[in-house]
Amino acid sequence: MEGDATSDRDRLLAFELALDEAVCDEVHRTSWGRLFLTPSTPLIWDANWVAIEAVGLTLDQVMAIADDALGGEGLGHRTIGLLDEAEGRRLGEEVEAEAAKWPRWEVERTRYMLWRGGKVQPHLVSSHFPADSAGKCELTGGGPGAPWVREVRLAEIADLRRAIIAESMPAGGDGPEAVDQLFELDRRYGVPGGDRWFVAPPESDPMSACRLLRADNIGQVEEVGTLTPARERGYAKAIVLAAIAAAQAEGDATIFLTADAADWPQLFYARLGFETVGDLTVLRRQP
């Protein structure tokens, strides 16, 4: 492994936090960490959350901080990010070990994965698809037979992005209003991070999309999604590789993504060439 995994993970987390600070409506710094508030998107838990940076707090103290900070804003959910990895591991395991004491609380672990797959050929990402004599476009995204990829802006794929968001939401959620708020956050992140999206196939009705966020020679591939009818066709691989190639073309030495540590996409990303460098523990309680 190149470098130190813990320092790599902390650097990637800092990249995300900097974008969060640029996007959220309010950021309050306190003795225990940071409070991120976005009253304009109240349904989005990850835009209204407590970031615990202090170490050595008890679970009761952490829960009380969230009750005071988020409950004091009239928010029914509780989302607590434990920024120190060791502290997150300790408190997350405590919640899991004493589940009866902490009803309705769930432990989520976000996996930070750093690209170790080497150079991706620049021709794998392009906004142009020149036709050959047979009228076919150049294939991009991973070799012969791979889906084609096109770079777009969010406004060009609004319907697709909204559909992917809607499919990802749990049944019985907040429906169209939550979709609207998540889409609005997509738009906001494009301001500090760049409005660059990659879709496949490149025709007028793409079915798969991801985005590339960039700052300070770091690139993050995120929001990878494919509509259900188009899954298992290689689209996700194609768009992720295209985003990596685009980041490398800009000179980004560090390229990463995050994944749910308990879900299968992390295995897919590992096969592509991403390596786990650490986790972020999040404690969550639904309203």
Side-chain angles (χ1 to χ4, degrees), residues 5 10 15 18 21 64 74-75 89 108 141 145 156 166 193 196 206-207 239 257:
D10 291 348
F15 172 91
E21 291 212 7
L75 296 167
R89 187 180 306 113
E108 301 174 7
E156 300 174 59
R196 302 186 67 176
M207 304 289 283
I239 58 176
L257 51 70

Side-chain angles (χ1 to χ4, degrees), residues 23-25 37-48 75 77 154 158 161-163 165-166 168-169 173-190 197 211 222-223:
V23 167
C24 290
D25 293 342
L37 293 173
T38 311
S40 58
T41 60
L43 298 178
I44 310 308
W45 301 340
D46 288 342
N48 298 275
L75 296 167
H77 77 280
L154 179 61
R161 181 62 189 143
R162 288 176 182 275
I165 292 172
S168 71
M169 297 183 66
D174 293 297
E177 189 175 359
V179 172
D180 288 343
Q181 291 183 19
L182 283 167
F183 186 82
E184 168 60 14
L185 287 173
D186 281 345
R187 184 195 65 77
R188 293 188 194 183
Y189 277 97
W197 293 78
R211 83 179 308 167
E222 67 151 19
E223 304 297 357

